[in-house]
Amino acid sequence: MKKIVFFTLLALFYSSTGWSQSADYQQQKAEKIAKGSVFTKIINRELPADIVYEDDDIIAFVPLRLQAPVHLLIVPKKEIYTINDATAEDVIVLGNMMLVAKRLAKEKGIAETGYRLSVNTNEDAGQSVFHLHMHLLGGEKLGQMVGAEKQTDEK
């Protein structure tokens, strides 16, 4: 019985101290979802965008704030809030997002030199638009990933 109480208290502690989204973030997220995503507005042509690719399921465009010489957003037209909300029904569109990224990287001349694909999910990753999207970044040597340490041959 003591173990059950301990693990229940431990779970409550972690859920309230950093293993969940902050109350402010949860509120902002709920408000943004209720309002509708800026990406849906681009898809519906309610907002302008520099669209570089579009098919029945996916749209890709240049973001307002570039983080690299080549920076594109690849967005499913289906509104999926986060990768955590993706279902088995979304497998094909998720795979096609990768193939669109490959195609655009080749078109932009960065397929051979290298590029990064990034999907931010929720608070700790800095997700601010709640419509799943993938960043295609390249055109220069990109920095190390967060927390990556230099690897050496020394042992």
Side-chain angles (χ1 to χ4, degrees):
M1 183 65 166
K2 287 181 182 180
K3 286 183 180 180
I4 293 171
V5 171
F6 172 76
F7 285 114
T8 302
L9 290 173
L10 187 64
L12 288 171
F13 171 77
Y14 278 117
S15 69
S16 65
T17 60
W19 285 56
S20 65
Q21 299 169 15
S22 68
D24 285 344
Y25 185 81
Q26 288 177 16
Q27 181 179 352
Q28 290 173 7
K29 180 178 178 178
E31 289 171 1
K32 287 181 177 184
I33 288 171
K35 184 177 169 184
S37 96
V38 64
F39 297 161
T40 299
K41 292 176 180 160
I42 290 171
I43 292 163
N44 293 335
R45 303 305 196 265
E46 297 168 17
L47 288 175
D50 182 4
I51 298 170
V52 297
Y53 176 88
E54 185 172 15
D55 64 26
D56 291 342
D57 300 315
I58 296 171
I59 191 167
F61 51 89
V62 179
L64 294 177
R65 291 183 295 270
L66 297 177
Q67 297 175 12
V70 175
H71 185 183
L72 301 173
L73 297 178
I74 301 165
V75 182
K77 289 184 176 179
K78 176 183 179 185
E79 201 169 73
I80 304 167
Y81 303 130
T82 75
I83 196 70
N84 293 339
D85 299 301
T87 67
E89 294 173 0
D90 301 318
V91 166
I92 292 174
V93 76
L94 295 174
N96 283 339
M97 288 174 66
M98 301 294 273
L99 295 176
V100 168
K102 172 186 153 184
R103 174 183 174 164
L104 293 173
K106 185 174 181 180
E107 287 177 10
K108 296 294 181 179
I110 61 171
E112 296 304 318
T113 57
Y115 56 96
R116 179 172 295 155
L117 301 176
S118 176
V119 176
N120 299 322
T121 304
N122 285 327
E123 187 170 21
D124 284 354
Q127 184 180 8
S128 60
V129 177
F130 297 98
H131 187 140
L132 178 68
H133 58 285
M134 180 168 50
H135 296 259
L136 167 64
L137 302 155
E140 67 184 7
K141 194 164 193 86
L142 300 172
Q144 289 186 329
M145 297 295 290
V146 174
E149 296 178 9
K150 292 184 179 179
Q151 296 179 359
T152 65
D153 292 333
E154 300 174 25
K155 294 187 180 187

